[in-house]
Amino acid sequence: MIKLLHNIWYKTAGLTAAAMMVMLAEAGAQDAGLIGKAHFQFIEYPDFPEANSTWGDIGFNPKDQCVYVGVTNHRNKIGWYVYNTVSKSIGLKGFISDLGHLRPFQWQGKIHTKVVFDRQGAVYFGTDGGESREEYLMDHPKGYAGGYLMKWEPAQNKLVNLGMTLQYESIKDVDVDPFTGKIYAITYPQVHFIVYDPATNNMQDLGRLGSAHVPRVMFTDQWGNCYYVDWRQRLVKYEKSTGKLVFSPHSLPAFEGTPGEHIITGITGYAKDHKKGEIYFVTYGAKLVRFRPTEHGIGAVEDLGGVYEAEGRERWRYYVPNLNIGANGKLYYIIGGHGNFAKKDRTLLMEFDPETRRHRTLHEFAESELSEATGSDIRDNEGNIYFAGRKQLQYDKNSVHAQKQLDNGISVPFIFKFNPDKQLQ
Amino acid sequence: MKQFISITALLLCTAQAFAQYTFFEPKESFAIEVSLDNTTLKRLPVYRNAVSALAVSGDHILGGTSAGEGLSPFIFVASLSRRELTHMLDLGKAIPGQRSVAAGFCKGGSVFYAGTIANNEAGGHIMRITLGSNGQPVVKDLGIPVPKEGIFSLTANDAGTMLYGISYPKGIFFSYDVARGKVTTFNNLVPSDKDLRQLTHEYAMEPEEFLGKALVTDQQGRVYGSLPVNKLFRFDPQTQQFTILDNYLPEVWGRRTLGQVEAWARAADGKLYGGNRGDGQLFELDPATLKMKNLGKPVMMNRLRALSFARDGKLYGIGGGQPGYAHLFSYNTTEGFRDYGNPQFTLVAPGLEQGIAWRGFQIGSMAASADGKYVVMGEDEALSQLLIFAVEENK
């Protein structure tokens, strides 16, 4: 029996070693130098044992130099966390239902929107049903009441409920015009583009822009105009000077053969190069794009190629729900999640140089280290880059993370902090 | 792929597998992209394309749209066989100053009639639409039947010689003699001052919520519709008399004020089927006995915006709407109601050859082809499309 077990271990170890050789060979083919774990930090969320996920709801506030994250149990509790990038401390400010004075029938499943900031440092986000009760009960009294726009005032540690956008609808993403304070939002499942002015309480519903899926990302330019995509993956701009939508006549770049369900999903992450006045984004068809916005009209779009290339695999088939830009001007993103990996069960941290258009695999993570990361354009004053990450573990009732059960396993959320140019530990 | 389309579903798939819905998937179904802004393709522009009037004539789907305030609507034609928009006519060029093809289409022989609501104060027009051999629509302006009023609802007798309508916002009933171009108006349905106070003040309702939104004629040419509060009427063209059927609309206790018929369909046996906007009930009205039967609600939400019979003998309709979501349903006496949910069909168009899923959330109109094979639904959105499915023949 012992001999049998030894043989199994030996063969398994042999396979693992072989797989590692292949992995390293593949990495070496794209990689001029791996970045080690000293460049990373995994910052877990305290005081919320059943927290199990985050959904792009992360942002960096340059005013107070804090990273804000909404962390959920994916049922009815959303913890509001602040990580101070100067003191390197993280704390739970409270739960959204309590801070926002919500009743049980106004339950919220998660924050899906990114966290954005106005010029005074006020913090904005929207809430989301985010679970089967919204998905399937729809417009029933037992279903989802609708998502709220929320404002956090850091100086007062106070959450202000700015009210609902559309009844029964979640809010998938928001952005803010830093000059006027107007909030842009996109709703789920009807894909309605909303413009809300907190100063006057005036809310405009500019109508449905999508098809059967809601693109998850909107973003603003340096003038405060807001961008989204329609079902043809054409940029749609809310031009603040006219208060109207401007539709690009052209679809964003896509690989030949990209399925329709990838086209209609639009943009999944973006990052802004403020010095150059350029915005980079990644599509659900795995294209990297450089966009040069103009104050009026749609700006120029440049196809930078794919996020990753592996022989024998369709170039559109990579999932990148995040994008950041380093102080060095290079793009950083993490491929993988929701069962969609570039390499089997491996999550890849990538670097892309927009000038040379070369990408490198900086590090490969097992799902038990990092299974998925979200977040767009989050970098602190020290050049550290942040993602809302999580790792996937097999369910074990004796695990210290047993309360973080999600699906059939355990999902442990954390802030993934990374610096490409220096070690953090 | 589906995992991203429904992230929540993926994460909780084991727990909720029993609860997931499936979309209605008839053997033949498709969506036609008729709206897209800023394109070289033939498409209706944003905010001018909510499909408020529909009819099917042979291979041609005839549509009339509603536009945002100050904008002009379109008359358009799409091809069932080619699955594309073939003609679009800016109504502002044919009849300036109109905002909405609010009422129609009613068929009179080989032509169609519709009524408009205007952007200006002059009033809405009656128009006659004919389709050329290639489906090209030709609009003839028949004038303003009720000055300073729009046309909120319109129907025709079977011969197409008489039109009947209700004006907006006052609710004046009118008849229009097609051959003579003569209009006769009646104030019998105009809400009393007392009712208006209750409706507009106590219940904060607007005329579009309480005036009769749909009209139908029976096999004897008598006209039926609703009026506030919660009443049905019948107009007899022979005697020029109205019969008011008080408290005739099905109601949920306490919600009489919301009663409004917004869709009608006439069955082959002559019975009339109506949809009550207030709580979304379907009801049957027998013109011979004037007995009304409440058939119940296809979905939980209010609204019942459209009804059409198809070749399987079933009555198809749209229940629900803003702030909730439209559901396609069917009804017959043996099966009762069947809810198909939000219709979602595949849309293929130039540049989208691989196809995308198009899901209907707000549907404002419906029409069946003359043979009952195709049921066409028109969206009521900022950018609206057509959703179409073929109905199987009864075996």
PDB file of all heavy atoms in Angstrom, chain B residues 210-227:
ATOM      1  N   PHE B 210     -55.822  57.758 -18.364  1.00  0.00           N
ATOM      2  CA  PHE B 210     -57.231  57.450 -18.100  1.00  0.00           C
ATOM      3  C   PHE B 210     -58.143  57.548 -19.327  1.00  0.00           C
ATOM      4  O   PHE B 210     -59.262  57.076 -19.286  1.00  0.00           O
ATOM      5  CB  PHE B 210     -57.778  58.293 -16.939  1.00  0.00           C
ATOM      6  CG  PHE B 210     -57.679  59.783 -17.092  1.00  0.00           C
ATOM      7  CD1 PHE B 210     -58.511  60.478 -17.948  1.00  0.00           C
ATOM      8  CD2 PHE B 210     -56.763  60.500 -16.333  1.00  0.00           C
ATOM      9  CE1 PHE B 210     -58.435  61.862 -18.062  1.00  0.00           C
ATOM     10  CE2 PHE B 210     -56.672  61.881 -16.439  1.00  0.00           C
ATOM     11  CZ  PHE B 210     -57.511  62.570 -17.298  1.00  0.00           C
ATOM     12  N   LEU B 211     -57.681  58.173 -20.396  1.00  0.00           N
ATOM     13  CA  LEU B 211     -58.509  58.163 -21.614  1.00  0.00           C
ATOM     14  C   LEU B 211     -58.432  56.785 -22.285  1.00  0.00           C
ATOM     15  O   LEU B 211     -57.453  56.069 -22.109  1.00  0.00           O
ATOM     16  CB  LEU B 211     -58.021  59.232 -22.594  1.00  0.00           C
ATOM     17  CG  LEU B 211     -58.112  60.683 -22.144  1.00  0.00           C
ATOM     18  CD1 LEU B 211     -57.564  61.597 -23.226  1.00  0.00           C
ATOM     19  CD2 LEU B 211     -59.551  61.073 -21.805  1.00  0.00           C
ATOM     20  N   GLY B 212     -59.446  56.455 -23.053  1.00  0.00           N
ATOM     21  CA  GLY B 212     -59.451  55.156 -23.732  1.00  0.00           C
ATOM     22  C   GLY B 212     -58.317  55.068 -24.744  1.00  0.00           C
ATOM     23  O   GLY B 212     -58.288  55.820 -25.709  1.00  0.00           O
ATOM     24  N   LYS B 213     -57.376  54.157 -24.524  1.00  0.00           N
ATOM     25  CA  LYS B 213     -56.187  54.078 -25.373  1.00  0.00           C
ATOM     26  C   LYS B 213     -56.407  53.221 -26.610  1.00  0.00           C
ATOM     27  O   LYS B 213     -55.638  53.301 -27.562  1.00  0.00           O
ATOM     28  CB  LYS B 213     -55.005  53.520 -24.560  1.00  0.00           C
ATOM     29  CG  LYS B 213     -53.698  53.448 -25.336  1.00  0.00           C
ATOM     30  CD  LYS B 213     -53.178  54.844 -25.678  1.00  0.00           C
ATOM     31  CE  LYS B 213     -52.056  54.847 -26.690  1.00  0.00           C
ATOM     32  NZ  LYS B 213     -52.504  55.021 -28.075  1.00  0.00           N
ATOM     33  N   ALA B 214     -57.436  52.396 -26.575  1.00  0.00           N
ATOM     34  CA  ALA B 214     -57.663  51.499 -27.714  1.00  0.00           C
ATOM     35  C   ALA B 214     -59.161  51.411 -28.000  1.00  0.00           C
ATOM     36  O   ALA B 214     -59.989  51.499 -27.089  1.00  0.00           O
ATOM     37  CB  ALA B 214     -57.091  50.119 -27.413  1.00  0.00           C
ATOM     38  N   LEU B 215     -59.465  51.256 -29.270  1.00  0.00           N
ATOM     39  CA  LEU B 215     -60.854  51.090 -29.710  1.00  0.00           C
ATOM     40  C   LEU B 215     -60.950  49.843 -30.579  1.00  0.00           C
ATOM     41  O   LEU B 215     -59.967  49.442 -31.207  1.00  0.00           O
ATOM     42  CB  LEU B 215     -61.299  52.311 -30.529  1.00  0.00           C
ATOM     43  CG  LEU B 215     -61.343  53.655 -29.794  1.00  0.00           C
ATOM     44  CD1 LEU B 215     -61.563  54.797 -30.784  1.00  0.00           C
ATOM     45  CD2 LEU B 215     -62.430  53.659 -28.725  1.00  0.00           C
ATOM     46  N   VAL B 216     -62.137  49.257 -30.612  1.00  0.00           N
ATOM     47  CA  VAL B 216     -62.352  48.071 -31.452  1.00  0.00           C
ATOM     48  C   VAL B 216     -63.791  48.106 -31.967  1.00  0.00           C
ATOM     49  O   VAL B 216     -64.663  48.715 -31.330  1.00  0.00           O
ATOM     50  CB  VAL B 216     -62.070  46.777 -30.652  1.00  0.00           C
ATOM     51  CG1 VAL B 216     -63.119  46.546 -29.575  1.00  0.00           C
ATOM     52  CG2 VAL B 216     -61.931  45.557 -31.567  1.00  0.00           C
ATOM     53  N   THR B 217     -64.013  47.492 -33.086  1.00  0.00           N
ATOM     54  CA  THR B 217     -65.391  47.367 -33.577  1.00  0.00           C
ATOM     55  C   THR B 217     -65.802  45.897 -33.544  1.00  0.00           C
ATOM     56  O   THR B 217     -64.964  45.005 -33.707  1.00  0.00           O
ATOM     57  CB  THR B 217     -65.523  47.879 -35.031  1.00  0.00           C
ATOM     58  OG1 THR B 217     -64.573  47.207 -35.852  1.00  0.00           O
ATOM     59  CG2 THR B 217     -65.290  49.374 -35.095  1.00  0.00           C
ATOM     60  N   ASP B 218     -67.103  45.678 -33.316  1.00  0.00           N
ATOM     61  CA  ASP B 218     -67.588  44.296 -33.372  1.00  0.00           C
ATOM     62  C   ASP B 218     -68.032  43.979 -34.792  1.00  0.00           C
ATOM     63  O   ASP B 218     -67.889  44.806 -35.705  1.00  0.00           O
ATOM     64  CB  ASP B 218     -68.685  44.058 -32.319  1.00  0.00           C
ATOM     65  CG  ASP B 218     -69.959  44.861 -32.584  1.00  0.00           C
ATOM     66  OD1 ASP B 218     -70.146  45.353 -33.728  1.00  0.00           O
ATOM     67  OD2 ASP B 218     -70.767  45.007 -31.642  1.00  0.00           O
ATOM     68  N   GLN B 219     -68.580  42.794 -34.965  1.00  0.00           N
ATOM     69  CA  GLN B 219     -68.951  42.373 -36.331  1.00  0.00           C
ATOM     70  C   GLN B 219     -70.116  43.179 -36.899  1.00  0.00           C
ATOM     71  O   GLN B 219     -70.353  43.157 -38.093  1.00  0.00           O
ATOM     72  CB  GLN B 219     -69.269  40.875 -36.332  1.00  0.00           C
ATOM     73  CG  GLN B 219     -68.009  40.034 -36.131  1.00  0.00           C
ATOM     74  CD  GLN B 219     -68.309  38.573 -35.890  1.00  0.00           C
ATOM     75  OE1 GLN B 219     -69.297  38.246 -35.232  1.00  0.00           O
ATOM     76  NE2 GLN B 219     -67.447  37.690 -36.386  1.00  0.00           N
ATOM     77  N   GLN B 220     -70.831  43.886 -35.999  1.00  0.00           N
ATOM     78  CA  GLN B 220     -71.916  44.755 -36.454  1.00  0.00           C
ATOM     79  C   GLN B 220     -71.451  46.204 -36.649  1.00  0.00           C
ATOM     80  O   GLN B 220     -72.252  47.091 -36.939  1.00  0.00           O
ATOM     81  CB  GLN B 220     -73.069  44.747 -35.432  1.00  0.00           C
ATOM     82  CG  GLN B 220     -73.989  43.532 -35.540  1.00  0.00           C
ATOM     83  CD  GLN B 220     -73.295  42.265 -35.056  1.00  0.00           C
ATOM     84  OE1 GLN B 220     -72.727  42.243 -33.968  1.00  0.00           O
ATOM     85  NE2 GLN B 220     -73.343  41.222 -35.874  1.00  0.00           N
ATOM     86  N   GLY B 221     -70.175  46.429 -36.448  1.00  0.00           N
ATOM     87  CA  GLY B 221     -69.638  47.769 -36.674  1.00  0.00           C
ATOM     88  C   GLY B 221     -69.767  48.705 -35.493  1.00  0.00           C
ATOM     89  O   GLY B 221     -69.492  49.904 -35.614  1.00  0.00           O
ATOM     90  N   ARG B 222     -70.196  48.181 -34.340  1.00  0.00           N
ATOM     91  CA  ARG B 222     -70.292  49.028 -33.149  1.00  0.00           C
ATOM     92  C   ARG B 222     -68.906  49.180 -32.524  1.00  0.00           C
ATOM     93  O   ARG B 222     -68.088  48.266 -32.599  1.00  0.00           O
ATOM     94  CB  ARG B 222     -71.282  48.411 -32.148  1.00  0.00           C
ATOM     95  CG  ARG B 222     -72.713  48.394 -32.688  1.00  0.00           C
ATOM     96  CD  ARG B 222     -73.649  47.586 -31.836  1.00  0.00           C
ATOM     97  NE  ARG B 222     -73.292  46.169 -31.808  1.00  0.00           N
ATOM     98  CZ  ARG B 222     -74.096  45.196 -31.366  1.00  0.00           C
ATOM     99  NH1 ARG B 222     -75.308  45.498 -30.919  1.00  0.00           N
ATOM    100  NH2 ARG B 222     -73.690  43.942 -31.367  1.00  0.00           N
ATOM    101  N   VAL B 223     -68.689  50.318 -31.896  1.00  0.00           N
ATOM    102  CA  VAL B 223     -67.355  50.680 -31.421  1.00  0.00           C
ATOM    103  C   VAL B 223     -67.298  50.562 -29.903  1.00  0.00           C
ATOM    104  O   VAL B 223     -68.221  51.012 -29.201  1.00  0.00           O
ATOM    105  CB  VAL B 223     -67.005  52.137 -31.825  1.00  0.00           C
ATOM    106  CG1 VAL B 223     -65.565  52.473 -31.461  1.00  0.00           C
ATOM    107  CG2 VAL B 223     -67.248  52.353 -33.302  1.00  0.00           C
ATOM    108  N   TYR B 224     -66.180  50.008 -29.402  1.00  0.00           N
ATOM    109  CA  TYR B 224     -66.005  49.806 -27.954  1.00  0.00           C
ATOM    110  C   TYR B 224     -64.693  50.444 -27.489  1.00  0.00           C
ATOM    111  O   TYR B 224     -63.703  50.426 -28.211  1.00  0.00           O
ATOM    112  CB  TYR B 224     -65.959  48.309 -27.614  1.00  0.00           C
ATOM    113  CG  TYR B 224     -67.214  47.559 -27.974  1.00  0.00           C
ATOM    114  CD1 TYR B 224     -67.470  47.198 -29.298  1.00  0.00           C
ATOM    115  CD2 TYR B 224     -68.145  47.218 -27.004  1.00  0.00           C
ATOM    116  CE1 TYR B 224     -68.625  46.515 -29.640  1.00  0.00           C
ATOM    117  CE2 TYR B 224     -69.304  46.532 -27.338  1.00  0.00           C
ATOM    118  CZ  TYR B 224     -69.532  46.184 -28.661  1.00  0.00           C
ATOM    119  OH  TYR B 224     -70.687  45.513 -28.995  1.00  0.00           O
ATOM    120  N   GLY B 225     -64.761  50.950 -26.275  1.00  0.00           N
ATOM    121  CA  GLY B 225     -63.555  51.507 -25.664  1.00  0.00           C
ATOM    122  C   GLY B 225     -63.825  51.782 -24.197  1.00  0.00           C
ATOM    123  O   GLY B 225     -64.878  51.420 -23.662  1.00  0.00           O
ATOM    124  N   SER B 226     -62.865  52.433 -23.559  1.00  0.00           N
ATOM    125  CA  SER B 226     -63.030  52.730 -22.126  1.00  0.00           C
ATOM    126  C   SER B 226     -63.082  54.228 -21.907  1.00  0.00           C
ATOM    127  O   SER B 226     -62.660  55.024 -22.756  1.00  0.00           O
ATOM    128  CB  SER B 226     -61.886  52.122 -21.315  1.00  0.00           C
ATOM    129  OG  SER B 226     -60.666  52.793 -21.564  1.00  0.00           O
ATOM    130  N   LEU B 227     -63.629  54.592 -20.768  1.00  0.00           N
ATOM    131  CA  LEU B 227     -63.619  55.981 -20.338  1.00  0.00           C
ATOM    132  C   LEU B 227     -63.521  55.978 -18.810  1.00  0.00           C
ATOM    133  O   LEU B 227     -63.840  54.965 -18.168  1.00  0.00           O
ATOM    134  CB  LEU B 227     -64.875  56.727 -20.794  1.00  0.00           C
ATOM    135  CG  LEU B 227     -66.200  56.435 -20.085  1.00  0.00           C
ATOM    136  CD1 LEU B 227     -67.138  57.615 -20.247  1.00  0.00           C
ATOM    137  CD2 LEU B 227     -66.833  55.173 -20.664  1.00  0.00           C
TER     138      LEU B 227
END
